[in-house]
Amino acid sequence: MRVAFYPGCVSKGACPELYVSAKAIAEPLGLELEELTEAPCTGAGVLSEQNPKLADSLNGLTLAMAESKGASLMTICSTCQGVLSATNHHLKTDTERLAGVNATIGDQGYSYAGTTSVKHLLWILFEDVGLDRIRASIKRKLTGLKIAPFYGCYILRPAEYLGLRERPERKTYLEQLIGLLGAEAVEYSGSTKCCGFPMVTFNRDKSLAMGGNHILEAKDKGADLLVTPCPLCHLNLDGQQPDAARVLRKDIGVPIFHLPQLLGLAFGYSPEELRLDHHVVSTKGALGKVELKV
Amino acid sequence: MQFTIEVGRYNPDGIYAENAKPGAPYPPPWQQAPPRRYQTYTVELPEYAVVLDALIAIREYQDESLAVRCACRSAICGSCAMWINGHANLACKSKLTEFTKDGKTRVETPPSMPVIRDLVWDMKPFWEQHNKVKPWLVGKPLADPSQEYRADNSRMEELIQEVSCISCGCCLMDCESYAVNPEFLGPHALAKAFRYAGDPRDAETRERLGDYSKPGGVWDCTHCYECVAQCPKGVAPLEQILKLRRMAVDSGFTNNAGTRHADAFADSVKHSGRLNELTLMPRSTGLFNVVGQLKTLPSAFNMARAGKLPPLLHKSIPGVKRIKAIFERVGGRFK
């Protein structure tokens, strides 16, 4: 399957391990990635809250780029997914808004007809690749690992933009995938909650307490690691975890995996190939449970 | 049909929001010691019954000691807001068939609120925060006091969403920011704040926007959309908070991390087409905010050591001219 690949800024910036692992797992999954190298940042909700017209135009341009390639747009970030899904919803349902965007991006040689579908890798796994192909690619079962899913807000809310009313099963894909890879999914209330990242620059301690509390809950329920389809969650949950531990005055020490890293591990890639040795919180303990070392 | 209801009962020794340490984040439910006590009941009800029907049936025919708060039974009064399977909902609006998970429905008070008894939580924090936003209209003086104030229809239509609020507390119950920061005004209060700040007849809009921009105000929202998802009336409090943020920035209340963050973000996208994470954090924190800058250093050091720092030389995307042109055309204050 050919997809217009939208890696997002963070996988090219502070989470290079996400980009590397996403590229690695594409082949066994039969995903042909055509990267949208000229597509801009989505604005991560920051630009849309200040200037909806600007955000519409930037994201409309990205949607038009994918449309011109005749492929679905694939994201690997819950935040990119949420912002692009919201714009796509508005442009598909509001002809005036679409005309406004086309007037702006028309000068740049693009026009959007409203036909692109925006899908996170997580959705593509279940809805396009299929479980049989995933099963066939598994070379190493992750038996013995207890994994807590952490979705990230923007792949879950608001439901109407993300097609969750038509496809409520999207809210359980992470749990299903963890089971499929041979591991056990940890049930806890934090899985659908906020990592705190959007306010880390405004109210640092509260933001870190928010994320830290969710990891502690998962740890309390026996999780060896958390897996997330959102690199912004990863930045707060992994990158800032030692600071969160200081704020909460608790020992945390739970590694956070990106979704493609978990898949890659099951597909037989080495931890180094997936850059699992480039995390702030050591992945050693969790990898040891499946007899791997970094 | 038979339904199984698991009810969180009051435990006088439990750690609830009201006896948590002052200033500390409220304990999440899994930290409550001793744990919350749940009592299971079985009720026989028609397929179309709602959670409140089950609770009333329990109180009337099985256990008169169960405390439940309710009045209208029609999703108008907002009295029966409670946690149903871990999320805020009105018990009178939630069908049992839709809220049965693993063979049962779990109802309890939200962990971030003080409890009076069983399913009755204390709305004191709700009203305290609500009262802080000056929730009334301060009318502009009329040239002729005998005339009525004529407001433009389109301006009033913008307020309809918020006017639908029934003050049930569902948004605050699931507010992630409030759960760790009791100083936060909360989605209910800020949605109400927009109802008055956005009213063309209001005489104190500017003062309001200044107040709402202070710590605990619009910038302490974490943008998680929980309030939008849980509101039974479609008020979408987060959307109203975002409108307040825009209004505040447009009115010149820009000396805050939120505005600096948005400016740094826009600047980076305009000039390179993508986000420059290396400069975003220091610029948002404020270049002269030494204490704030120092606080971010340990994390920056940890990330650098793990090889997770963004490239020092920030590269632009190919075709960045297009992005600059879009900013020129519709960038507003980001031009």
Side-chain angles (χ1 to χ4, degrees), chain A residues 9-10 12-17 37-41 43-54 57-58 61 65 103-105 107-108 110 153-154 157-158 161 187 192-194 196 198-206 209-210 213-214 216-217 220 234-235 238-240 242-243 246 250 258 275 278-280, chain B residues 23 25-26 28-31 83 86-87 101-102 176-177 180-182 219-226 228-230 239 242 245-246 249 257-258 261-262 265-266 269 273-275 277 280-281 284-285 295-296 298-299 302-303 306-311 317-319 321-323 325-327 329-334:
Chain A
C9 302
V10 182
K12 292 279 190 103
C15 288
E17 69 279 6
T37 51
E38 300 189 4
C41 169
V46 176
L47 296 186
S48 54
E49 77 173 49
Q50 290 288 325
N51 184 339
K53 217 171 179 178
L54 172 66
S57 303
L58 293 173
L61 178 68
M65 285 173 172
T104 307
I105 66 172
D107 293 351
Q108 311 308 321
Y110 280 93
C153 301
Y154 307 129
R157 295 179 290 271
Y161 301 156
E187 207 185 317
T192 60
K193 292 195 173 158
C194 179
M199 60 171 201
V200 72
T201 52
F202 315 160
N203 198 338
R204 187 174 173 79
D205 287 1
K206 303 298 180 196
M210 198 183 281
N213 266 338
H214 301 321
L216 278 171
E217 183 194 2
D220 205 49
H234 195 273
L235 284 178
D238 174 70
Q240 314 263 13
D243 251 17
R246 255 194 298 276
K250 295 254 169 74
H258 294 284
R275 288 180 67 108
H278 282 79
H279 283 208
V280 168
Chain B
Y26 292 146
W30 50 274
Q31 266 187 350
W83 252 26
H87 281 290
K101 198 182 158 205
D102 302 328
E176 298 232 22
S177 286
V180 292
N181 179 12
W219 298 106
D220 272 352
C221 158
T222 191
H223 212 281
C224 66
Y225 280 101
E226 284 281 10
V228 179
Q230 311 314 338
E239 303 291 346
L242 299 186
R245 284 186 181 178
R246 273 201 290 279
V249 171
H261 182 70
F265 204 114
V269 177
R274 58 195 202 88
L275 190 59
E277 294 154 308
L280 186 70
M281 184 72 100
S284 307
T285 308
K295 273 178 114 176
T296 63
S299 281
N302 286 334
M303 289 181 67
K308 278 174 68 74
L309 266 200
I317 59 166
K321 275 186 182 164
R322 270 187 217 116
I323 313 305
I326 290 175
F327 268 82
R329 191 164 165 156
V330 290
R333 71 182 182 90
F334 296 137

